[in-house]
Amino acid sequence: MKRYLVYFLLALLSYLLYINQDSKYIVAGVGIFIIGMHFMEEGFKLFSGGILEKVISKSTDTIPKSIGLGVVATAILKSSSLISIIVISFLSAKLIILSGAIGVVFGSNVGTTATAWIVSYFGMKIDIAAFALPMIIFGVIFRFFKQKNIQGIGNIFLGLGFVFLGIGYMKDGFEDLKQGIDLAQFSIEGYYGILIYIIIGIVATIIIQSSSATLALTITALAAGQIIYINAIAIAIGANIGTTITAVMGAMVSNANSKRMALSLLIFNSITAVVIVLIIYPFIDLVDYLAKLLGINNDDYSMKLSLFHTVFNILGLMIFSFFIPKLVLFLKKLFVEDKDSYIQKPKYLDMEVIAVPFVALRATRKETIHLYDNASEVLSHAIMLHRHRYLGKSDISAVVKESTDIIELNIDDFYQTRIKSLYSDIIDYSTYFISGLENDNRTYLYNLRTACRDIADAVKNTKELQQNISKYLLSDNQYIKDEYNYIRESIAKTINTINEIKNSKDELDVLSKSELLKDYLKSLDVIATGRIDVLIREKRIDKKMATTLLNDSSHAYTIINKLINVSKVLWIEDLTIKQLGEDYEASKNS
């Protein structure tokens, strides 16, 4: 259906260009404007270097902060779609809460009105196209630089250049078109006309896929006298609704969070539109009054349309900001997230997140933590313990001695279904966005991959260990039982300490606990400590027990060492602290 609609629109466009040569400038202007917006969006992605993503992740804990962020960020970046992509990515990766995400998107609706002001003020009052070519020239030059931030600046210049050029083409196109056809003759007064032109605004935005482009087109047509003021207002209202319908259509096949975001924006824009339409004429009087206060001429309809668009969105924001908590509850009930039927399924690896590499990296880290959680479960069961019995306990040794029940567990099956499959998903997912990462973030992704491998290796090392623990846990030989209880205690203490590390916000504390674990690890070496010699010499254990104990101590040493390395990767991100740890390790080994 969609394909046939595209063919129909292409045929209609070809016919329009054929019957009226002047329309080609308008159509070309819209196309160039959209290309410019795309270049600006890509440019800000490169130029920000993850700064924007970091700001969003830290500024959405309260609704007022998230709304303010949406307004300011969109006004500066001129791209509500970029903000929406990043916010949905964060939401899908469960890095921000739904109320914060909705606040940003609602604020973004106000921020996007900045584009209308640029078009109405600069585009209609000066020869904006004269600035386009120099910007395009410098944009092309900057794109040849190797540094990504300079390439980003180049894309921003290109974007601005094309936006200005597009506005110039649309302006000239409507001026030329006026010589042959006066579209103002199709104007419709009253509520009937408002409804008709709202529909035109909706359809135009769905076709063009950009409310900013629809508004730019409307403002240039209004400045040229091709449409009347009241109809232009109706198109602006329709454009607000049209951009949300596009989002809803895209979210229909997406995850629950995307559906929640799209529906929240549709509710926001639609209800605001209904309220404004009901009070349209008093509201226009209010805009006229505000325009007079701001020094806008009474016949400067382009500027008044921009003012209308801004006040319209601010009013909607003021109304809805108080209802965001209730809206969140409604959306969560309406779109329920799928329950994990199997724990091995990825929880954070959403393909939508890949559009923002920085966020995809955070999602990968969270999925690696999920992989570790699965591994800590199997490791606990392999040493015949349940995590809830020893996590957070001060006397783990006593818990280990009391836990004598054998836990039946197929390590191979657990590894294949809950570890290897998730490990493979993480590696596969990371290949899609690694090229978009800067050097430090790319290095961190490699470290995450290494951590995944260490987690998988740790689980594989438990197979033989599990068999011997279940065997000697029931042995009549107290000495070998004590040795295996010590191995169990060591692994349990390691998992418990890593759980404390996981909940710590002090990375220096994480480093110090990791180093203490390294020192504690030495006690597992039955050869270096001399325990094995005493046990054999005093015939407390036989030769078979001794070799088995040597092998299993080695397995436990490997498991603990790998878990310590994983904890450093997952919970030490500060490069200075990480280097401090590496220097300390090097000094100990020298």
Side-chain angles (χ1 to χ4, degrees):
M1 179 67 184
K2 188 176 180 181
R3 185 177 63 180
Y4 293 120
L5 180 61
V6 170
Y7 291 152
F8 171 75
L9 291 174
L10 286 173
L12 185 63
L13 181 61
S14 300
Y15 177 71
L16 176 65
L17 295 173
Y18 174 75
I19 62 170
N20 191 290
Q21 293 294 310
D22 294 328
S23 62
K24 66 178 180 289
Y25 293 104
I26 300 170
V27 175
V30 173
I32 294 169
F33 183 92
I34 292 171
I35 290 172
M37 296 294 287
H38 173 75
F39 268 112
M40 286 181 67
E41 183 176 311
E42 293 300 314
F44 278 114
K45 278 183 186 178
L46 290 171
F47 178 64
S48 65
I51 295 173
L52 176 62
E53 292 88 337
K54 290 174 184 175
V55 170
I56 290 176
S57 68
K58 294 178 180 179
S59 304
T60 54
D61 52 336
T62 65
I63 291 173
K65 281 168 66 176
S66 60
I67 289 173
L69 175 66
V71 174
V72 175
T74 309
I76 294 171
L77 302 183
K78 307 292 183 295
S79 177
S80 58
S81 59
L82 173 59
I83 302 298
S84 297
I85 288 169
I86 295 173
V87 167
I88 290 173
S89 297
F90 267 103
L91 192 60
S92 297
K94 300 181 181 178
L95 297 172
I96 59 174
I97 57 176
L98 182 59
S99 59
I102 290 174
V104 174
V105 174
F106 282 7
S108 182
N109 242 31
V110 175
T112 197
T113 61
T115 303
W117 285 103
I118 290 172
V119 176
S120 61
Y121 186 79
F122 293 104
M124 299 301 108
K125 290 178 171 52
I126 62 175
D127 185 12
I128 199 170
F131 296 93
L133 294 181
M135 287 186 173
I136 292 171
I137 291 168
F138 281 104
V140 170
I141 292 171
F142 287 153
R143 276 176 58 86
F144 283 102
F145 281 72
K146 290 184 179 179
Q147 297 94 326
K148 284 195 173 182
N149 58 338
I150 297 180
Q151 289 178 7
I153 293 172
N155 275 352
I156 293 168
F157 272 119
L158 272 175
L160 281 170
F162 281 128
V163 164
F164 290 170
L165 193 63
I167 292 170
Y169 268 100
M170 284 188 277
K171 182 180 176 184
D172 293 342
F174 276 114
E175 290 291 343
D176 293 340
L177 187 66
K178 193 174 183 180
Q179 307 303 319
I181 303 175
D182 184 8
L183 295 178
Q185 63 182 308
F186 301 107
S187 61
I188 306 172
E189 299 280 358
Y191 272 100
Y192 179 69
I194 291 170
L195 294 175
I196 292 294
Y197 276 88
I198 284 175
I199 294 170
I200 290 173
I202 293 171
V203 173
T205 305
I206 292 173
I207 293 172
I208 298 173
Q209 296 284 297
S210 171
S211 60
S212 294
T214 303
L215 274 171
L217 185 65
T218 304
I219 290 168
T220 50
L222 181 62
Q226 290 285 47
I227 56 174
I228 62 173
Y229 180 46
I230 188 67
N231 292 163
I233 284 174
I235 291 175
I237 296 171
N240 262 33
I241 300 171
T243 193
T244 59
I245 291 175
T246 301
V248 168
M249 289 167 63
M252 290 303 292
V253 293
S254 190
N255 58 35
N257 279 323
S258 294
K259 291 174 182 175
R260 290 167 182 168
M261 288 291 295
L263 184 59
S264 69
L265 199 55
L266 179 63
I267 291 171
F268 171 68
N269 283 357
S270 299
I271 293 180
T272 304
V274 169
V275 171
I276 294 299
V277 168
L278 291 175
I279 59 168
I280 187 72
Y281 291 107
F283 194 75
I284 290 174
D285 291 339
L286 171 64
V287 171
D288 289 341
Y289 175 73
L290 293 174
K292 191 174 181 180
L293 290 179
L294 293 171
I296 298 173
N297 293 332
N298 194 45
D299 59 349
D300 192 346
Y301 293 112
S302 298
M303 290 286 286
K304 286 168 71 174
L305 177 61
S306 298
L307 181 61
F308 172 89
H309 190 229
T310 301
V311 177
F312 159 59
N313 280 288
I314 289 175
L315 179 65
L317 184 60
M318 289 172 62
I319 294 170
F320 268 95
S321 59
F322 298 102
F323 297 100
I324 288 178
K326 291 185 178 180
L327 182 61
V328 167
L329 292 175
F330 167 72
L331 293 170
K332 284 185 175 180
K333 288 180 181 178
L334 186 64
F335 299 111
V336 181
E337 289 186 90
D338 295 332
K339 297 287 184 183
D340 289 334
S341 54
Y342 301 100
I343 197 169
Q344 71 269 21
K345 288 177 64 177
K347 293 171 68 176
Y348 307 102
L349 305 184
D350 194 320
M351 293 304 288
E352 285 192 20
V353 179
I354 288 173
V356 186
F358 174 84
V359 187
L361 180 65
R362 311 313 297 167
T364 303
R365 175 181 176 271
K366 293 194 78 171
E367 199 63 61
T368 306
I369 294 172
H370 176 214
L371 177 65
Y372 167 78
D373 288 338
N374 281 358
S376 67
E377 179 188 9
V378 69
L379 289 170
S380 297
H381 290 178
I383 59 175
M384 309 304 153
L385 291 171
H386 292 284
R387 285 179 297 179
H388 69 271
R389 292 205 59 190
Y390 68 84
L391 287 181
K393 301 295 190 296
S394 57
D395 192 0
I396 292 178
S397 177
V399 174
V400 168
K401 288 175 182 176
E402 292 168 5
S403 303
T404 57
D405 293 337
I406 302 300
I407 298 175
E408 297 295 335
L409 175 69
N410 187 324
I411 296 286
D412 287 331
D413 180 61
F414 199 108
Y415 175 77
Q416 292 295 330
T417 59
R418 297 193 180 187
I419 303 298
K420 188 178 180 180
S421 62
L422 193 53
Y423 174 28
S424 301
D425 288 334
I426 292 171
I427 298 300
D428 177 66
Y429 182 79
S430 64
T431 60
Y432 286 96
F433 67 88
I434 188 170
S435 60
L437 295 173
E438 296 292 336
N439 290 336
D440 288 344
N441 284 335
R442 188 175 296 188
T443 300
Y444 186 62
L445 179 59
Y446 288 139
N447 291 338
L448 286 175
R449 286 174 161 184
T450 302
C452 290
R453 184 191 63 200
D454 285 344
I455 292 168
D457 288 345
V459 173
K460 282 196 288 187
N461 271 281
T462 59
K463 184 177 179 181
E464 191 174 340
L465 182 61
Q466 177 209 24
Q467 293 171 351
N468 291 324
I469 286 174
S470 61
K471 176 182 176 181
Y472 290 119
L473 195 60
L474 303 175
S475 174
D476 294 330
N477 187 319
Q478 189 61 42
Y479 295 106
I480 194 69
K481 184 188 289 187
D482 287 345
E483 287 297 328
Y484 273 93
N485 275 341
Y486 186 72
I487 289 174
R488 296 169 68 206
E489 180 186 336
S490 300
I491 294 174
K493 280 185 175 179
T494 300
I495 295 173
N496 184 61
T497 303
I498 291 175
N499 191 59
E500 292 174 358
I501 286 171
K502 183 179 177 182
N503 296 320
S504 175
K505 294 182 180 180
D506 185 349
E507 293 195 0
L508 275 173
D509 179 55
V510 173
L511 178 61
S512 63
K513 285 182 177 178
S514 299
E515 293 306 328
L516 285 173
L517 275 176
K518 285 275 188 182
D519 291 336
Y520 174 70
L521 190 57
K522 295 174 183 176
S523 65
L524 260 179
D525 192 337
V526 292
I527 297 177
T529 57
R531 290 202 313 276
I532 193 71
D533 295 329
V534 174
L535 290 169
I536 295 173
R537 187 170 56 248
E538 297 184 6
K539 301 196 182 298
R540 295 176 179 177
I541 61 175
D542 59 34
K543 290 184 288 186
K544 187 176 180 181
M545 288 178 180
T547 54
T548 303
L549 179 59
L550 282 169
N551 287 335
D552 287 338
S553 295
S554 177
H555 288 316
Y557 185 96
T558 300
I559 290 167
I560 292 174
N561 195 43
K562 288 184 179 297
L563 293 182
I564 294 169
N565 292 335
V566 168
S567 69
K568 287 182 177 180
V569 171
L570 291 177
W571 292 290
I572 301 179
E573 297 184 71
D574 188 291
L575 295 177
T576 305
I577 296 175
K578 192 168 288 188
Q579 186 61 49
L580 182 65
E582 291 172 1
D583 292 343
Y584 178 72
E585 285 290 320
S587 66
K588 285 200 304 182
N589 297 328
S590 60

